[in-house]
Amino acid sequence: MGIVSPGFQGRPRTQEPALPPGQYLTEDFPVLSAGPTPRVSLDTWEFVIAAENGTEYRWSWQELMALPQETPMVDIHCVTHWSKLGTTWQGVSLDTLLDGVDTGAHFALAHSYGGYTTNLPLDDLRGGRAWVAHTFDGAPLAPEHGGPARLLVPHLYFWKSAKWVRGIRLKTMDKPGFWETAGYHDYGDPWREQRYQGD
């Protein structure tokens, strides 16, 4: 005689969201910065892509806002172990900004107002995976979260989504940015737990 009757499934299990290793779920939006928060006027804000040959492609705030806008809903993962799921942003795809940029570069170095930098493979800014984001959860992006605009590269740890972004330099060779020079991983894939050099 069987102990478990046919069709018995036991107690229903709570479906936990899938998180990268070592991460915990938060409903908050923690504020972490490497320095003071710059205050950037929209009248003087600009975004510049500098190709490896010195050619520069520039957009004012008004020009950025006139470009096609996208509204990605993405999960974000901070190297300090928190993850926030289903976040909603609005911004301009890097595909749009890179369209027409003549480059043979394979790497990018993002620059921010305030001096912050971070390096990424150029391929990670393409294919609908990266944006210059100016709106979070339906409201203008607050300065403490990187406003007026930040880089949004959600498939990598969040330090790669440079706050207060002002431009990207395209490079033929990889050059570490601020945290990468301090020992953080050059790539930063949360699903491979690439927090530090050697991970």
Side-chain angles (χ1 to χ4, degrees):
M1 181 176 189
I3 298 175
V4 179
S5 61
F8 180 73
Q9 300 295 319
R11 294 180 182 171
R13 294 182 180 176
T14 302
Q15 187 68 27
E16 294 292 335
L19 294 176
Q23 298 293 110
Y24 69 88
L25 191 61
T26 183
E27 299 298 325
D28 298 327
F29 196 169
V31 175
L32 300 167
S33 300
T37 298
R39 305 289 170 167
V40 185
S41 168
L42 298 184
D43 292 332
T44 59
W45 183 95
E46 67 173 357
F47 184 80
V48 181
I49 294 179
E52 69 275 20
N53 63 6
T55 303
E56 293 187 340
Y57 305 80
R58 296 176 176 270
W59 294 266
S60 67
W61 185 260
Q62 292 78 13
E63 290 167 337
L64 183 84
M65 299 303 285
L67 293 173
Q69 304 289 314
E70 297 184 5
T71 309
M73 178 181 286
V74 296
D75 303 336
I76 54 177
H77 309 289
C78 184
V79 71
T80 60
H81 300 280
W82 60 261
S83 290
K84 186 172 177 63
L85 306 183
T87 62
T88 303
W89 305 76
Q90 185 176 347
V92 177
S93 171
L94 262 293
D95 291 320
T96 299
L97 295 167
L98 288 166
D99 186 39
V101 174
D102 183 20
T103 181
H106 296 288
F107 301 98
L109 188 67
H111 289 257
S112 296
Y113 290 94
Y116 180 80
T117 58
T118 190
N119 58 310
L120 308 101
L122 186 53
D123 282 350
D124 284 83
L125 298 180
R126 290 179 157 148
R129 299 197 293 166
W131 298 264
V132 173
H134 52 74
T135 299
F136 173 75
D137 201 19
L141 187 60
E144 62 268 24
H145 290 304
R150 75 178 298 157
L151 196 59
L152 178 63
V153 192
H155 66 281
L156 300 178
Y157 279 124
F158 212 41
W159 90 80
K160 295 290 187 178
S161 294
K163 293 182 178 182
W164 316 298
V165 69
R166 68 181 304 171
I168 294 172
R169 293 191 179 276
L170 305 180
K171 306 183 86 56
T172 56
M173 298 184 66
D174 198 14
K175 179 182 178 183
F178 177 85
W179 285 118
E180 296 82 10
T181 301
Y184 280 59
H185 200 279
D186 276 336
Y187 187 61
D189 183 343
W191 294 96
R192 294 157 67 188
E193 207 166 1
Q194 293 176 332
R195 300 179 196 275
Y196 306 108
Q197 300 291 346
D199 286 347

